[in-house]
Amino acid sequence: MADPLPIHDDPRVTPARPDLAAKHLQHRVKAARYVEGTPRKVVAAQAPVRQQPRHDALLDTEALKGELVTVYETTEEGWSWGQLQSDNHVGWLPTDALGDVGQPATHRVAVKRTLVFAAPSIKSPPIEAFSFGCQLAIARIEPPFAVTATNEFLPLRHLVETHHQERDFVSVAERFLGVPYLWGGKTSLGLDCSALVQLSLTACGFPCWRDSDMQEQSFLPAIEPAADLSNLQRGDVIFWKGHVAIVRDNSTLIHANAHHMAVAIEPIAEAVARIRAAEAGISSIRRLEGLTRPAQ
């Protein structure tokens, strides 16, 4: 992922610790040893990415099926420390969620969630469920199904080819309406404010950092003054300290938030007043051109 703006040596996106670092960082950071990474792929439906190699450690983000990971360390306790290729995020993943890179992905899930069947029939028991953005290597098409090399059947209408780009990231965000709020989550089972933005923009072919503060640094231009809400347009992105929301029109926004504990549509004025009273005022408003269509 190319840096929209330079963000160097942030530990969230830099595979370096005092005891271990990626070999390509040898002349930038100091570590006891440097190693070449091993390419791996997420084979589980989703995998937690945690700050520490423990199941009760803070969830930083989630890696989706088909996502590539460069692994720099694997422990006997079943954890792998590595960096996600999609957004450079670094953390600990369960080793059993990873597998060989295998065939490149050909399709990705384009609906909030889809089911996987063991046979070409919607009456057969589903064996798994994949969330929006999961990537799959499809071996053949047998309408109305797409079939993987291991004979898993997915509804073809729930998939798009990997090169497909959505035309309106606000509409993508609206697909997640009602999904529970989950700190660090990135799936239809639960997600947070910056994941909603990241998933929506990535679907439109716009590379996006995982966390809201890094998104704020990289999204240009800023609208000045930040307190002026009179000229908001669909697709503007509003930032507070530790929070981000997407403008739907000149009166409403959509965001994953802990107040509603869900992805919710809310009047802009009410959201701004509530967040200001509880936490802080708007830090900036960013305008992303060419990523929206007029509201229907």
Side-chain angles (χ1 to χ4, degrees), residues 75-138:
T75 71
E76 294 181 355
E77 293 74 27
W79 291 92
S80 291
W81 184 70
Q83 183 174 38
L84 308 185
Q85 185 181 97
S86 61
D87 60 11
N88 292 349
H89 213 91
V90 174
W92 291 93
L93 299 87
T95 301
D96 61 7
L98 305 177
D100 294 335
V101 171
Q103 295 296 314
T106 59
H107 292 72
R108 71 171 187 270
V109 177
V111 295
K112 187 162 61 176
R113 198 163 190 83
T114 192
L115 296 176
V116 184
F117 301 94
S121 170
I122 60 172
K123 296 180 181 180
S124 64
I127 56 175
E128 205 164 10
F130 296 149
S131 192
F132 182 94
C134 286
Q135 300 179 62
L136 305 159
I138 297 301

Side-chain angles (χ1 to χ4, degrees), residues 7 36 46 112 121 126-127 130 151 153 165 174 179 197 207-208 211 231 257 261 265 267 292:
I7 298 178
E36 295 282 2
Q46 67 261 354
K112 187 162 61 176
S121 170
I127 56 175
F130 296 149
N151 278 329
F153 295 81
Q165 294 183 0
E174 290 171 339
V179 169
V197 172
C208 182
D211 294 337
N231 193 35
N257 66 94
M261 284 305 296
I265 293 172
T292 63

Side-chain angles (χ1 to χ4, degrees), residues 223 231-237 247-250 287 289:
I223 298 174
N231 193 35
L232 291 176
Q233 297 179 9
R234 180 177 176 85
D236 287 348
V237 185
V247 174
R248 296 177 64 245
D249 51 43
N250 60 9
R287 178 155 293 166
E289 302 286 358

Side-chain angles (χ1 to χ4, degrees), residues 58-91:
L58 184 67
L59 180 67
D60 268 351
T61 186
E62 291 180 297
L64 303 179
K65 183 178 179 66
E67 188 158 1
L68 298 179
V69 184
T70 303
V71 172
Y72 295 100
E73 181 184 24
T74 298
T75 71
E76 294 181 355
E77 293 74 27
W79 291 92
S80 291
W81 184 70
Q83 183 174 38
L84 308 185
Q85 185 181 97
S86 61
D87 60 11
N88 292 349
H89 213 91
V90 174

Side-chain angles (χ1 to χ4, degrees), residues 147-222:
V147 190
T148 68
T150 53
N151 278 329
E152 297 168 323
F153 295 81
L154 296 95
L156 180 59
R157 67 186 306 157
H158 288 177
L159 308 179
V160 294
E161 294 183 359
T162 52
H163 60 75
H164 173 83
Q165 294 183 0
E166 300 281 352
R167 295 175 56 196
D168 182 2
F169 86 97
V170 183
S171 294
V172 176
E174 290 171 339
R175 297 177 198 174
F176 291 89
L177 190 63
V179 169
Y181 178 85
L182 174 65
W183 179 278
K186 194 175 159 181
T187 77
S188 58
L189 295 176
L191 46 68
D192 60 22
C193 63
S194 55
L196 181 66
V197 172
Q198 185 188 48
L199 286 167
S200 303
L201 287 173
T202 300
C204 295
F206 187 87
C208 182
W209 294 112
R210 176 59 176 86
D211 294 337
S212 61
D213 63 320
M214 298 171 77
Q215 292 172 356
E216 184 173 16
Q217 290 181 58
S218 62
F219 293 172
L220 294 175

